[in-house]
């Protein structure tokens, strides 16, 4: 996708610039990670290939997750296992926001609690506002079908963030009879 998403750089990784590439490739291979020469993306005859960090070297030390690329990125960030730079050259700072939005148009499924506190350490506001989401709770008509097509939450959760097949990571807020928090 054309948007700037974020810069994942493993503190342990020496080839920080390749970290992001490894992460994107990793989405497709699922843990345990394949080797770059087998991923169908890299030219296995390229003499530069051995200089690249293998996905398993970069990702296996990080907190595990069962889906996606095998890493629980929220825990990785919160535990200090990684410390991403705010920008590519390290300048600037990250603007975070602690604001939850309870999304209740979920049919029979548990409600979705969208957490700005989880997203804003990775993502500038402009990644989501106003092009993907209105800056007003309840204003954006979101459906699961559209998410599965790669819109709304699916812009990232079908590409770089944990996959939409893990329903319970989003739908985890029990519906209450009163319909309130
Ligand atoms: C990963 C996507 C994402 C990012 C990044 C993000 N937001 Fe949001 N924001 C949302 C969603 C989703 C909603 C709810 C929209 C809806 O219900 O229509 C929302 C709603 C809001 C609201 C409305 C709250 C209300 O009660 O009406 C404000 C204000 C807001 N965001 C500010 C920010 C600011 C400031 C930042 C950056 C620090 C930011 N957001 C970053 C996704 C995001
Ligand atoms: C990345 C977060 C996320 C994941 C993962 C996710 N959902 Fe959703 N889902 C949402 C959001 C957001 C809505 C809309 C809520 C709103 O607008 O109030 C929604 C709405 C729904 C709805 C309401 C009806 C509809 O069609 O829109 C159903 C049913 C649903 N999801 C089922 C699922 C199932 C089943 C899975 C797993 C296969 C799943 N969801 C995975 C975020 C997610
Ligand atoms: C612009 C990209 C982007 C969009 C849009 C986005 N997310 Fe995320 N989300 C991320 C990233 C990056 C992470 C952290 C990495 C990860 O957990 O895979 C994350 C993490 C999460 C987590 C934390 C999972 C945990 O460990 O508990 C939840 C829940 C979540 N997102 C729900 C949503 C929902 C619901 C929406 C739509 C309303 C949404 N996201 C839209 C990028 C996005």
């Amino acid at each position: 996708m054309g948007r700037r998403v974020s810069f994942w750089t493993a503190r342990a990784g020496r080839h920080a610039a390749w970290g992001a590439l490894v992460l994107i490739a990793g989405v497709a291979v699922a843990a345990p990670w394949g080797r770059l020469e087998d991923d169908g993306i890299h030219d296995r005859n390229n003499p530069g290939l051995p200089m690249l960090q293998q996905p398993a070297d970069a990702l296996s030390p990080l907190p595990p997750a069962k889906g996606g690329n095998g890493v629980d990125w929220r825990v990785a960030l919160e535990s200090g296992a990684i410390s991403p730079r705010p920008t590519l050259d390290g300048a600037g700072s990250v603007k975070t926001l602690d604001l939850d939005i309870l999304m209740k148009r979920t049919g029979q499924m548990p409600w979705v609690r969208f957490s700005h506190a989880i997203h804003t350490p990775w993502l500038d506001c402009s990644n989501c506002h106003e092009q993907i989401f209105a800056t007003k709770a309840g204003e954006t008509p979101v459906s699961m079908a559209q998410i599965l097509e790669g819109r709304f939450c699916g812009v990232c959760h079908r590409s770089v963030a944990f996959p939409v097949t893990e329903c319970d990571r989003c739908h985890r807020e029990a519906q209450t009879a009163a319909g309130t928090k």
Side-chain angles (χ1 to χ4, degrees):
M1 74 191 164
R3 287 166 207 287
R4 199 188 72 185
V5 173
S6 119
F7 306 102
W8 285 284
T9 47
R11 187 183 272 161
R14 278 173 297 134
H15 305 287
W18 290 105
L21 183 64
V22 163
L23 181 67
I24 292 161
V27 170
V29 293
W33 305 276
R35 297 188 59 79
L36 294 178
E37 50 271 39
D38 301 324
D39 66 5
I41 297 169
H42 292 86
D43 177 2
R44 55 171 66 204
N45 298 318
N46 188 318
L49 192 62
M51 293 170 67
L52 302 184
Q53 189 179 30
Q54 291 289 345
D57 294 340
L59 301 179
S60 62
L62 298 174
K66 60 177 156 60
N69 61 1
V71 175
D72 191 323
W73 291 100
R74 182 180 60 80
V75 174
L77 187 67
E78 288 172 3
S79 67
I82 57 169
S83 54
R85 300 177 199 161
T87 55
L88 263 185
D89 63 8
S93 60
V94 176
K95 181 182 167 194
T96 59
L97 176 67
D98 187 4
L99 171 69
D100 284 4
I101 313 278
L102 204 51
M103 306 180 84
K104 300 180 182 174
R105 291 172 295 210
T106 57
Q108 302 294 306
M109 295 287 285
W111 289 330
V112 171
R113 182 180 289 276
F114 175 84
S115 161
H116 280 88
I118 286 177
H119 286 85
T120 51
W122 305 97
L123 297 157
D124 188 79
C125 318
S126 62
N127 283 293
C128 292
H129 297 299
E130 296 270 314
Q131 288 201 35
I132 306 181
F133 295 107
T135 314
K136 190 165 189 323
E139 284 289 294
T140 317
V142 180
S143 79
M144 202 57 225
Q146 290 169 310
I147 293 174
L148 291 165
E149 285 168 4
R151 297 183 58 198
F152 305 111
C153 321
V155 171
C156 303
H157 289 280
R158 285 213 46 187
S159 53
V160 294
F162 77 82
V164 279
T165 43
E166 291 177 61
C167 318
D168 58 349
R169 285 178 79 175
C170 286
H171 290 277
R172 63 191 318 161
E173 196 75 25
Q175 296 193 10
T176 62
T180 61
K181 297 187 192 183

